[in-house]
Amino acid sequence: MSLVTVNRVVIPDEDIHYESARVDERGVDERRGAAARQLVVRELLRQRADEIGLDTDSDMDAAVESLLAREVPRPAVDDAACRRYFEANPERFCTPVTAEIRHILLAAPPDDVGARAKAEERAETLIDEAANGDETIGGLAARHSDCPSATDGGHLGAVGRGQTVPEFEDVVLRLEAGLARRPVETRYGFHVVEVIAREGGEPLSYEQVSHLIADYIRERSWRRAVSQYIGQLAADAEIEGVDLEVPDSPLVQ
């Protein structure tokens, strides 16, 4: 990576290296690029804060917070916008869902195409066996599952949002009670899933969630405004060594 500068102020390579360790990207180059962009944004904000007389030496984070409070005001949200969002997204406003789950894991590495194909095929075979009544999920789990829950017949207990991996929850928390007729794919492999019982999912009223919707819309709108603000700072600056792409959220830590 070439020398990174913002209005002729150099972003030290060691700072980029340190920051890259905290970036959630796969490749080394991708991490360094993302780290450089974050530090460029931070430098843009520092320079602007200095320009309007804020103290960036003693507490940079406080200075940036004050800067954004002055120059990117929090947007107002009216009731009509909240109601439109509520009516357009009814599935988001329900009581939390929990499902009592029994499963069989057929493990396969995420990057092994052949192993994953075999795991999916085995999962489909086990689903057919369970659906035909040849054997219970618990019995099949004890003999075939790669999950430690195999010793308990594949029983996972009550699963709610945030307790397992998202790709598993996104499927199983939508299933009705009974045997899922298709395998559930996750980073770990393929799962045969039986929902023993399901609770929650009752619709909430607008009055119960209107304050949450207002907070969400306000935060989303503010982040977009911050993105536009940073984009304008970047457009007015001389930046070298990195292509700055500003997402819809502030790159400020």
Side-chain angles (χ1 to χ4, degrees):
M1 179 182 290
S2 59
L3 192 66
V4 178
T5 64
V6 181
N7 293 323
R8 301 184 181 181
V9 174
V10 176
I11 306 295
D13 190 65
E14 57 267 29
D15 289 359
I16 297 173
H17 178 72
Y18 175 79
E19 187 71 18
S20 69
R22 304 194 295 170
V23 172
D24 188 18
E25 295 285 352
R26 284 196 171 185
V28 173
D29 290 341
E30 288 77 6
R31 286 198 300 272
R32 285 182 60 81
R37 289 190 291 274
Q38 289 186 4
L39 292 174
V40 165
V41 167
R42 191 167 178 83
E43 179 61 21
L44 283 168
L45 293 169
R46 186 197 66 78
Q47 291 182 18
R48 177 57 182 163
D50 281 342
E51 185 180 342
I52 65 173
L54 296 174
D55 179 10
T56 59
D57 292 329
S58 58
D59 192 336
M60 174 63 179
D61 290 338
V64 168
E65 186 176 342
S66 296
L67 171 67
L68 296 178
R70 289 189 189 189
E71 303 205 330
V72 190
R74 295 274 177 175
V77 180
D78 60 25
D79 185 68
C82 293
R83 285 188 180 276
R84 285 195 300 271
Y85 188 86
F86 176 78
E87 292 167 0
N89 300 276
E91 73 284 352
R92 297 191 177 188
F93 305 109
C94 300
T95 57
V97 174
T98 58
E100 186 179 357
I101 301 293
R102 196 182 298 277
H103 85 137
I104 303 167
L105 169 62
L106 290 311
D111 56 352
D112 190 330
V113 176
R116 291 188 78 82
K118 290 179 181 178
E120 183 176 18
E121 184 177 353
R122 287 179 61 206
E124 290 171 346
T125 299
L126 294 176
I127 289 173
D128 288 341
E129 290 184 26
N132 292 335
D134 297 336
E135 195 168 352
T136 65
I137 292 292
L140 291 169
R143 291 193 291 111
H144 298 284
S145 182
D146 296 315
C147 178
S149 65
T151 58
D152 192 23
H155 191 243
L156 291 179
V159 173
R161 183 66 65 180
Q163 293 181 291
T164 62
V165 292
E167 63 268 29
F168 186 75
E169 295 169 1
D170 287 345
V171 176
V172 302
L173 294 182
R174 289 184 169 89
L175 295 174
E176 298 299 327
L179 175 67
R181 298 312 302 265
R182 292 288 305 156
V184 177
E185 183 177 7
T186 71
R187 67 196 70 178
Y188 302 116
F190 286 82
H191 307 251
V192 176
V193 173
E194 180 184 36
V195 178
I196 301 169
R198 186 177 187 275
E199 296 182 355
E202 291 82 17
L204 296 169
S205 69
Y206 173 73
E207 288 69 26
Q208 290 174 294
V209 299
S210 60
H211 64 292
L212 298 176
I213 297 173
D215 289 344
Y216 170 75
I217 294 176
R218 187 180 298 110
E219 182 67 15
R220 184 181 63 179
S221 299
W222 182 74
R223 285 180 174 270
R224 287 178 178 171
V226 169
S227 176
Q228 293 172 356
Y229 174 73
I230 294 171
Q232 187 58 56
L233 291 179
D236 294 339
E238 181 183 341
I239 299 172
E240 295 183 357
V242 66
D243 292 326
L244 186 62
E245 297 176 3
V246 183
D248 284 340
S249 60
L251 297 175
V252 181
Q253 298 180 355

